[in-house]
Amino acid sequence: KNWLDRLVPLSASQPRCLPTMPKKRTVRKENRLKKLIEEEKADEIKAVEKKKRREDLRQERRDELIEKLEKVAETLEDGGAGAKDKSGDVDMRPAGSVITKKTGVIRKIGKDKTRARASKSLLKVAKQRGIIHDVALAKRLLEDKRPRNKTTPYGKELKRDKRLRTAREKRMRKCGIRQEEDGEDEDDE
C-alpha cells in the first residue's frame, strides 16, 4: 500500500490531495492587510492623544486668559463708569446718543444659551491695555467656538446662510428697499 493511504483514509469519491502551502501572493496580501489594520489602529490612538493634548493646552490658555481678564475686571470695577470716586459722586454714562441699540434680525439658529459668553466691553479694554492682541481670538478661546466655514466643500452656500439671506431679501422687497442701495453699502465696507 501507498504511505498516503495510511495517513488519510480515502473514500472512492474523494480525490487524493495533500494540504498545500498557501500561495505567496495570498500570504503577501494577508500580511499587507494586517499591517494596514495595525497602522490604522496606531493612527487612531495617536489622533486621540493629539486631540487630548490640544484640548489640555487650549484649557490652560483659557484659564490664563480668564485670570488676566478677572484682574482687568477688578480694576474696571474700581474706576469704571458707574463707580463712585473719592468724593462719593457717581460717574454716569451719557444716555441716548452714545449707546445705540442695533436693530435687525434676531438670529436664533444655532444659539446655545448654556455656553459662557465673553464680555465685549471687557475684551476691548483688555486689548487697549495690551493684555490680548485680538478680541475675536480671545472671544473664540473663551467661548470655545471653532471658525465656521463660509461654503460647503463643493463651493456652495451653506443652507443656514442661504435661509438668512433669502429672509433678508424678502424683508427688503417687502419694505421697498432697493438692492442697489444695499450693494453700495457692502462695497464701501
Side-chain angles (χ1 to χ4, degrees):
K1 274 192 156 186
N2 195 348
W3 62 274
L4 284 174
D5 293 335
R6 280 183 265 146
L7 289 176
V8 181
L10 296 173
S11 65
S13 63
Q14 287 181 329
R16 188 182 308 199
C17 57
L18 291 173
T20 59
M21 291 291 292
K23 294 283 186 181
K24 186 176 179 181
R25 66 174 178 257
T26 57
V27 171
R28 288 178 63 203
K29 196 183 291 183
E30 288 171 0
N31 288 342
R32 185 169 176 268
L33 287 173
K34 285 179 189 174
K35 183 183 174 198
L36 288 173
I37 290 170
E38 288 173 5
E39 286 177 355
E40 283 178 9
K41 287 180 182 176
D43 287 344
E44 286 175 7
I45 292 169
K46 215 186 264 187
V48 168
E49 289 173 356
K50 185 178 180 182
K51 186 177 181 181
K52 185 179 181 296
R53 199 169 49 243
R54 280 188 172 187
E55 189 57 41
D56 291 343
L57 287 172
R58 188 177 292 118
Q59 185 63 39
E60 187 177 320
R61 285 178 52 209
R62 190 179 302 125
D63 292 340
E64 289 174 4
L65 182 61
I66 288 172
E67 286 177 18
K68 291 177 182 177
L69 289 177
E70 283 175 354
K71 290 177 184 175
V72 172
E74 287 173 6
T75 58
L76 278 181
E77 288 173 5
D78 295 340
K84 291 184 180 178
D85 60 359
K86 293 178 183 175
S87 65
D89 293 335
V90 177
D91 181 27
M92 300 299 286
R93 287 189 182 135
S97 63
V98 176
I99 302 170
T100 57
K101 186 175 180 182
K102 185 179 177 185
T103 57
V105 185
I106 301 169
R107 302 193 331 172
K108 291 185 178 179
I109 306 167
K111 292 268 185 176
D112 188 6
K113 302 295 182 189
T114 59
R115 284 190 171 197
R117 308 291 292 176
S119 171
K120 191 182 279 189
S121 59
L122 183 63
L123 291 174
K124 283 182 180 179
V125 171
K127 183 178 180 180
Q128 288 172 352
R129 294 187 184 178
I131 294 171
I132 58 174
H133 299 293
D134 189 13
V135 174
L137 288 176
K139 188 173 182 180
R140 229 176 72 197
L141 181 65
L142 285 174
E143 295 179 358
D144 196 29
K145 285 187 177 179
R146 305 293 190 275
R148 247 176 23 98
N149 292 335
K150 302 293 181 193
T151 58
T152 62
Y154 298 108
K156 288 177 123 182
E157 185 179 20
L158 293 175
K159 295 286 184 186
R160 176 182 188 272
D161 293 341
K162 183 179 179 184
R163 200 178 317 162
L164 292 169
R165 179 180 55 81
T166 53
R168 186 175 57 244
E169 289 172 355
K170 185 178 178 183
R171 279 191 311 276
M172 291 172 136
R173 286 193 302 271
K174 192 175 181 180
C175 296
I177 302 171
R178 291 185 182 158
Q179 284 193 319
E180 291 105 26
E181 295 172 9
D182 222 25
E184 293 171 16
D185 295 339
E186 291 176 0
D187 292 338
D188 294 338
E189 291 175 4

